[in-house]
Amino acid sequence: GAGRTVRHARCWATHAYGRRGHSLSSGCVSILKGIDQSCVNKCMEDNKSFTSQCSPAFGTLADCGFKNCKAECISGDPDAESCVTCNEQKCSPAFHSSTGFEVQCKYDKDCNGDSAGVTSGDLVWTDCGSAGDIATVKSVSGTPVVGADFDVVAELSLASDVTSGTVNLSGSLNGLNVLNVDQDLCTANDISLPLNAGDLYWPDACGSAGDMTVDVKANLKLSASYSLTLKSDGVFCIETSFAV
């Protein structure tokens, strides 16, 4: 529950970074391969009685710390001020927003972030398709926000009818891969992001030759840097990125 705070992550911190004098590779982390999130998740389930639905939040938290705070945590002491501060600034807000757990801020009083209100960011897009694709991407627009619904609207021109196919939706949050879903191109569907990070709505994207609009709806709960790629082999490929 929300009363359990991030101090329970001491479990993964001890296993991941090791106690002073212990090998860094003896637990849930490898200097070469990084954090083993399944190891962290199991640690939280076995030692702190978190459920399998909740424990992945700690695996993501540990991975964030390893990727963003290696220099600050190099001493191997998870209580070092530099290590705690880095994690509070770069990882704790997303952890709080995705779980509702109140992090006991030690050095950064705003380490839980501001999950209320709405912020917006600019969307950048790239046509990553091939010359032989059926669709030409004319434009992609949208004003991404966190805390409210928004649309990512792609204007396409189809050289021929599109009546079937599959689209792969892949995405990342602060550089962490959080989405890799194959979706029927012609079937509308709601897609939930991991860790209660938000939702996407994929529309029916099949149609006759000519102009077509693909309107992907989103509702994001975390302030972060995002990337989202929509790829349907032989039809189109669109890469987007934004920060909110």
Side-chain angles (χ1 to χ4, degrees), residues 112-130:
N112 285 293
D114 181 10
S115 57
V118 175
T119 58
S120 63
D122 295 328
L123 183 145
V124 178
W125 69 277
T126 302
D127 183 350
C128 52
S130 303

Side-chain angles (χ1 to χ4, degrees), residues 116-173:
V118 175
T119 58
S120 63
D122 295 328
L123 183 145
V124 178
W125 69 277
T126 302
D127 183 350
C128 52
S130 303
D133 284 353
I134 294 174
T136 299
V137 183
K138 298 193 296 182
S139 68
V140 180
S141 61
T143 303
V145 298
V146 60
D149 295 337
F150 68 93
D151 298 81
V152 176
V153 180
E155 300 292 344
L156 310 178
S157 178
L158 303 182
S160 60
D161 295 350
V162 176
T163 59
S164 64
T166 300
V167 60
N168 177 264
L169 293 84
S170 60
S172 66
L173 184 158

